């Protein structure tokens, strides 16, 4: 491949990884990963996902694991095609904060990656600002029937 002038774009890499994950599943030796593939080739943006058993899809926004259940509804409601980079970061921070509040043992640090045709940039790690003094966090079982 290196000498023939061809290069794999994100869609081709996504298709290849889909086959790899599905093949491993069929051998009963899956790779226990969920993969997100993103990129830009010839001005075409691409974002896809592959699960550990080869289930794959493309969309405008993707989340894996816990985020697939709690962040995707927020993204479906608030994401739009014309989001600026700053608005996108704020939306991602909202999703991550929502996930963090539901898994208190998670770490509140994250990094933001930006993929363009010029390449990839990844921010320095930073901490989300959180507020843990909500009354429901202090005594979550108050008023619950049958609670301790």
């Amino acid at each position: 491949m290196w000498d023939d002038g061809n290069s794999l774009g994100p869609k081709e890499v996504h298709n290849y990884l889909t086959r790899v994950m599905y093949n491993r599943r069929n051998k009963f030796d899956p790779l226990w990963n969920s993969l997100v593939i993103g990129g830009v080739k010839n001005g075409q943006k691409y974002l896809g996902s592959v699960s550990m058993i080869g289930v794959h899809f493309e969309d405008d926004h993707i989340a894996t694991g816990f985020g697939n259940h709690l962040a995707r509804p927020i993204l479906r409601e608030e994401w739009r095609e014309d989001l600026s980079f700053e608005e996108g970061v704020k939306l991602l921070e909202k999703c991550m904060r929502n996930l963090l509040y539901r898994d208190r043992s998670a770490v509140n640090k994250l990094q933001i990656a930006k993929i363009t045709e010029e390449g990839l940039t990844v921010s320095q790690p930073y901490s989300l600002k959180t507020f843990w003094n909500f009354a429901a966090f202090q005594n979550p079982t108050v008023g619950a029937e049958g609670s301790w």
Side-chain angles (χ1 to χ4, degrees):
M1 183 181 111
W2 298 110
D3 294 339
D4 67 1
N6 274 333
S7 65
L8 295 179
K11 186 172 183 77
E12 293 82 16
V13 171
H14 184 224
N15 288 332
Y16 171 72
L17 290 173
T18 297
R19 297 293 98 218
V20 168
M21 300 301 265
Y22 186 73
N23 185 36
R24 290 292 297 259
R25 164 212 171 164
N26 287 340
K27 291 180 177 182
F28 294 97
D29 186 23
L31 298 171
W32 289 77
N33 296 309
S34 293
L35 309 173
V36 176
I37 299 93
V40 181
K41 184 176 180 182
N42 300 328
Q44 294 289 102
K45 295 182 255 180
Y46 187 84
L47 187 61
S49 177
V50 183
S51 76
M52 65 179 265
I53 59 173
V55 175
H56 61 100
F57 66 95
E58 304 169 31
D59 207 342
D60 294 318
H61 45 78
I62 289 178
T64 61
F66 202 40
N68 200 29
H69 304 288
L70 296 176
R72 289 290 303 268
I74 296 169
L75 291 168
R76 285 185 188 113
E77 189 172 306
E78 298 186 25
W79 181 88
R80 60 184 200 284
E81 182 73 35
D82 64 341
L83 277 178
S84 69
F85 180 72
E86 291 75 23
E87 290 172 322
V89 169
K90 285 189 190 318
L91 180 56
L92 287 175
E93 288 176 348
K94 179 179 181 177
C95 291
M96 294 305 292
R97 196 171 286 112
N98 186 36
L99 291 165
L100 180 64
Y101 284 144
R102 281 152 182 85
D103 183 5
R104 197 170 185 173
S105 64
V107 177
N108 67 336
K109 286 191 176 179
L110 62 120
Q111 290 177 277
I112 302 292
K114 181 179 181 180
I115 303 171
T116 64
E117 209 154 3
E118 289 77 43
L120 169 73
T121 56
V122 180
S123 74
Q124 291 297 316
Y126 66 96
S127 297
L128 282 177
K129 292 186 180 17
T130 56
F131 180 76
W132 291 98
N133 290 328
F134 292 112
F137 290 158
Q138 302 306 317
N139 191 356
T141 59
V142 69
E145 245 181 83
S147 68
W148 295 91

Short mmCIF file of all heavy atoms in Angstrom, two decimals, residues 4-32:
data_model
loop_
_atom_site.label_atom_id
_atom_site.label_comp_id
_atom_site.label_asym_id
_atom_site.label_seq_id
_atom_site.Cartn_x
_atom_site.Cartn_y
_atom_site.Cartn_z
N ASP A 4 1.90 2.24 -3.76
CA ASP A 4 0.99 2.32 -4.90
C ASP A 4 0.22 3.64 -4.99
O ASP A 4 -0.61 3.80 -5.87
CB ASP A 4 0.03 1.14 -4.91
CG ASP A 4 -0.95 1.14 -3.74
OD1 ASP A 4 -0.91 2.08 -2.91
OD2 ASP A 4 -1.74 0.20 -3.64
N GLY A 5 0.46 4.58 -4.08
CA GLY A 5 -0.21 5.88 -4.15
C GLY A 5 -1.58 5.90 -3.50
O GLY A 5 -2.19 6.96 -3.41
N ASN A 6 -2.09 4.76 -3.08
CA ASN A 6 -3.38 4.71 -2.40
C ASN A 6 -3.20 5.04 -0.92
O ASN A 6 -2.16 4.76 -0.34
CB ASN A 6 -4.02 3.33 -2.51
CG ASN A 6 -4.81 3.16 -3.77
OD1 ASN A 6 -5.30 4.13 -4.34
ND2 ASN A 6 -4.91 1.93 -4.22
N SER A 7 -4.23 5.59 -0.34
CA SER A 7 -4.23 5.80 1.11
C SER A 7 -5.63 5.49 1.63
O SER A 7 -6.62 5.77 0.98
CB SER A 7 -3.84 7.23 1.47
OG SER A 7 -4.80 8.14 0.99
N LEU A 8 -5.67 4.87 2.78
CA LEU A 8 -6.95 4.54 3.40
C LEU A 8 -7.52 5.76 4.08
O LEU A 8 -6.83 6.44 4.84
CB LEU A 8 -6.78 3.41 4.42
CG LEU A 8 -6.33 2.06 3.89
CD1 LEU A 8 -6.18 1.08 5.05
CD2 LEU A 8 -7.30 1.53 2.87
N GLY A 9 -8.77 6.03 3.82
CA GLY A 9 -9.48 7.10 4.51
C GLY A 9 -10.22 6.53 5.70
O GLY A 9 -10.20 5.32 5.96
N PRO A 10 -10.91 7.39 6.44
CA PRO A 10 -11.61 6.90 7.64
C PRO A 10 -12.70 5.87 7.31
O PRO A 10 -12.90 4.93 8.07
CB PRO A 10 -12.20 8.18 8.25
CG PRO A 10 -12.12 9.21 7.19
CD PRO A 10 -11.03 8.83 6.26
N LYS A 11 -13.39 6.02 6.19
CA LYS A 11 -14.43 5.05 5.83
C LYS A 11 -13.82 3.67 5.56
O LYS A 11 -14.35 2.65 6.01
CB LYS A 11 -15.21 5.52 4.61
CG LYS A 11 -16.39 4.63 4.27
CD LYS A 11 -17.23 5.25 3.17
CE LYS A 11 -18.44 4.43 2.86
NZ LYS A 11 -19.51 4.56 3.83
N GLU A 12 -12.69 3.64 4.88
CA GLU A 12 -12.04 2.37 4.59
C GLU A 12 -11.51 1.72 5.87
O GLU A 12 -11.61 0.51 6.06
CB GLU A 12 -10.90 2.56 3.58
CG GLU A 12 -11.34 2.96 2.20
CD GLU A 12 -11.61 4.46 2.05
OE1 GLU A 12 -11.17 5.25 2.91
OE2 GLU A 12 -12.28 4.82 1.07
N VAL A 13 -10.94 2.52 6.75
CA VAL A 13 -10.46 2.00 8.03
C VAL A 13 -11.63 1.46 8.85
O VAL A 13 -11.54 0.39 9.46
CB VAL A 13 -9.69 3.09 8.82
CG1 VAL A 13 -9.38 2.63 10.23
CG2 VAL A 13 -8.42 3.48 8.08
N HIS A 14 -12.75 2.17 8.83
CA HIS A 14 -13.95 1.74 9.55
C HIS A 14 -14.43 0.39 9.01
O HIS A 14 -14.73 -0.54 9.78
CB HIS A 14 -15.04 2.80 9.42
CG HIS A 14 -16.27 2.49 10.19
ND1 HIS A 14 -17.53 2.66 9.67
CD2 HIS A 14 -16.47 2.01 11.44
CE1 HIS A 14 -18.44 2.31 10.56
NE2 HIS A 14 -17.82 1.91 11.65
N ASN A 15 -14.49 0.25 7.70
CA ASN A 15 -14.92 -1.02 7.10
C ASN A 15 -13.97 -2.16 7.47
O ASN A 15 -14.40 -3.27 7.79
CB ASN A 15 -15.02 -0.90 5.57
CG ASN A 15 -16.21 -0.07 5.16
OD1 ASN A 15 -17.21 -0.02 5.86
ND2 ASN A 15 -16.11 0.58 4.02
N TYR A 16 -12.68 -1.89 7.43
CA TYR A 16 -11.69 -2.90 7.79
C TYR A 16 -11.86 -3.33 9.25
O TYR A 16 -11.89 -4.52 9.56
CB TYR A 16 -10.28 -2.36 7.55
CG TYR A 16 -9.20 -3.26 8.09
CD1 TYR A 16 -8.90 -4.47 7.47
CD2 TYR A 16 -8.50 -2.92 9.24
CE1 TYR A 16 -7.92 -5.31 7.98
CE2 TYR A 16 -7.53 -3.75 9.76
CZ TYR A 16 -7.24 -4.95 9.13
OH TYR A 16 -6.29 -5.77 9.64
N LEU A 17 -11.98 -2.36 10.15
CA LEU A 17 -12.13 -2.69 11.57
C LEU A 17 -13.43 -3.42 11.86
O LEU A 17 -13.49 -4.27 12.76
CB LEU A 17 -12.00 -1.42 12.42
CG LEU A 17 -10.61 -0.82 12.46
CD1 LEU A 17 -10.63 0.52 13.17
CD2 LEU A 17 -9.61 -1.77 13.12
N THR A 18 -14.47 -3.12 11.11
CA THR A 18 -15.73 -3.85 11.25
C THR A 18 -15.52 -5.32 10.95
O THR A 18 -15.97 -6.20 11.69
CB THR A 18 -16.80 -3.27 10.29
OG1 THR A 18 -17.05 -1.91 10.66
CG2 THR A 18 -18.09 -4.05 10.35
N ARG A 19 -14.80 -5.62 9.88
CA ARG A 19 -14.52 -7.01 9.51
C ARG A 19 -13.65 -7.69 10.56
O ARG A 19 -13.88 -8.85 10.91
CB ARG A 19 -13.81 -7.09 8.16
CG ARG A 19 -14.59 -6.58 6.97
CD ARG A 19 -15.80 -7.44 6.63
NE ARG A 19 -16.98 -6.84 7.21
CZ ARG A 19 -18.01 -7.48 7.76
NH1 ARG A 19 -18.06 -8.76 7.83
NH2 ARG A 19 -19.03 -6.84 8.25
N VAL A 20 -12.65 -6.97 11.07
CA VAL A 20 -11.76 -7.54 12.09
C VAL A 20 -12.56 -7.89 13.34
O VAL A 20 -12.44 -9.01 13.87
CB VAL A 20 -10.61 -6.56 12.44
CG1 VAL A 20 -9.87 -7.02 13.69
CG2 VAL A 20 -9.66 -6.41 11.27
N MET A 21 -13.39 -6.97 13.80
CA MET A 21 -14.16 -7.21 15.03
C MET A 21 -15.18 -8.34 14.84
O MET A 21 -15.36 -9.18 15.72
CB MET A 21 -14.86 -5.93 15.48
CG MET A 21 -13.90 -4.78 15.79
SD MET A 21 -12.71 -5.16 17.06
CE MET A 21 -13.55 -4.50 18.47
N TYR A 22 -15.83 -8.36 13.69
CA TYR A 22 -16.81 -9.42 13.42
C TYR A 22 -16.12 -10.78 13.31
O TYR A 22 -16.63 -11.78 13.81
CB TYR A 22 -17.59 -9.09 12.14
CG TYR A 22 -18.72 -10.04 11.88
CD1 TYR A 22 -19.88 -9.99 12.66
CD2 TYR A 22 -18.66 -10.98 10.87
CE1 TYR A 22 -20.93 -10.88 12.44
CE2 TYR A 22 -19.70 -11.86 10.64
CZ TYR A 22 -20.83 -11.80 11.42
OH TYR A 22 -21.86 -12.67 11.21
N ASN A 23 -14.98 -10.81 12.65
CA ASN A 23 -14.22 -12.06 12.51
C ASN A 23 -13.80 -12.59 13.89
O ASN A 23 -13.93 -13.79 14.17
CB ASN A 23 -13.00 -11.84 11.63
CG ASN A 23 -12.25 -13.11 11.35
OD1 ASN A 23 -12.84 -14.17 11.20
ND2 ASN A 23 -10.94 -13.02 11.31
N ARG A 24 -13.32 -11.72 14.76
CA ARG A 24 -12.91 -12.15 16.10
C ARG A 24 -14.11 -12.66 16.89
O ARG A 24 -14.00 -13.61 17.66
CB ARG A 24 -12.23 -11.00 16.85
CG ARG A 24 -10.85 -10.62 16.31
CD ARG A 24 -9.81 -11.71 16.56
NE ARG A 24 -9.58 -11.96 17.94
CZ ARG A 24 -8.55 -11.49 18.64
NH1 ARG A 24 -7.63 -10.75 18.04
NH2 ARG A 24 -8.44 -11.77 19.92
N ARG A 25 -15.25 -12.01 16.72
CA ARG A 25 -16.47 -12.47 17.40
C ARG A 25 -16.80 -13.89 16.95
O ARG A 25 -17.15 -14.74 17.76
CB ARG A 25 -17.61 -11.53 17.06
CG ARG A 25 -18.97 -12.08 17.38
CD ARG A 25 -20.00 -11.58 16.41
NE ARG A 25 -21.26 -12.28 16.60
CZ ARG A 25 -22.39 -11.86 16.11
NH1 ARG A 25 -22.43 -10.75 15.42
NH2 ARG A 25 -23.48 -12.54 16.30
N ASN A 26 -16.72 -14.16 15.65
CA ASN A 26 -17.06 -15.47 15.12
C ASN A 26 -16.10 -16.56 15.59
O ASN A 26 -16.45 -17.73 15.60
CB ASN A 26 -17.11 -15.45 13.59
CG ASN A 26 -18.34 -14.71 13.10
OD1 ASN A 26 -19.31 -14.54 13.83
ND2 ASN A 26 -18.29 -14.24 11.88
N LYS A 27 -14.91 -16.17 15.98
CA LYS A 27 -13.95 -17.13 16.52
C LYS A 27 -14.11 -17.29 18.04
O LYS A 27 -13.31 -17.95 18.69
CB LYS A 27 -12.52 -16.69 16.21
CG LYS A 27 -12.17 -16.76 14.75
CD LYS A 27 -10.75 -16.31 14.53
CE LYS A 27 -10.38 -16.47 13.07
NZ LYS A 27 -8.98 -16.08 12.85
N PHE A 28 -15.11 -16.63 18.60
CA PHE A 28 -15.36 -16.63 20.05
C PHE A 28 -14.15 -16.10 20.81
O PHE A 28 -13.84 -16.57 21.91
CB PHE A 28 -15.78 -18.01 20.55
CG PHE A 28 -17.10 -18.45 20.01
CD1 PHE A 28 -17.18 -19.28 18.91
CD2 PHE A 28 -18.27 -17.99 20.59
CE1 PHE A 28 -18.40 -19.66 18.39
CE2 PHE A 28 -19.50 -18.37 20.07
CZ PHE A 28 -19.57 -19.20 18.98
N ASP A 29 -13.47 -15.14 20.21
CA ASP A 29 -12.32 -14.49 20.83
C ASP A 29 -12.39 -12.99 20.53
O ASP A 29 -11.52 -12.44 19.86
CB ASP A 29 -11.03 -15.11 20.27
CG ASP A 29 -9.79 -14.58 20.97
OD1 ASP A 29 -9.91 -14.09 22.11
OD2 ASP A 29 -8.71 -14.62 20.36
N PRO A 30 -13.47 -12.33 21.00
CA PRO A 30 -13.65 -10.93 20.61
C PRO A 30 -12.60 -10.01 21.24
O PRO A 30 -12.05 -10.31 22.30
CB PRO A 30 -15.04 -10.59 21.15
CG PRO A 30 -15.23 -11.52 22.30
CD PRO A 30 -14.51 -12.79 21.91
N LEU A 31 -12.32 -8.94 20.55
CA LEU A 31 -11.52 -7.86 21.13
C LEU A 31 -12.49 -7.01 21.94
O LEU A 31 -13.45 -6.48 21.39
CB LEU A 31 -10.86 -7.03 20.02
CG LEU A 31 -9.89 -7.80 19.13
CD1 LEU A 31 -9.48 -6.95 17.95
CD2 LEU A 31 -8.68 -8.22 19.93
N TRP A 32 -12.28 -6.88 23.21
CA TRP A 32 -13.26 -6.24 24.10
C TRP A 32 -13.11 -4.72 24.05
O TRP A 32 -12.75 -4.07 25.03
CB TRP A 32 -13.09 -6.77 25.52
CG TRP A 32 -13.58 -8.18 25.61
CD1 TRP A 32 -12.92 -9.30 25.18
CD2 TRP A 32 -14.82 -8.61 26.12
NE1 TRP A 32 -13.70 -10.41 25.40
CE2 TRP A 32 -14.87 -10.02 25.97
CE3 TRP A 32 -15.91 -7.96 26.67
CZ2 TRP A 32 -15.97 -10.77 26.37
CZ3 TRP A 32 -16.99 -8.71 27.07
CH2 TRP A 32 -17.01 -10.10 26.92
#
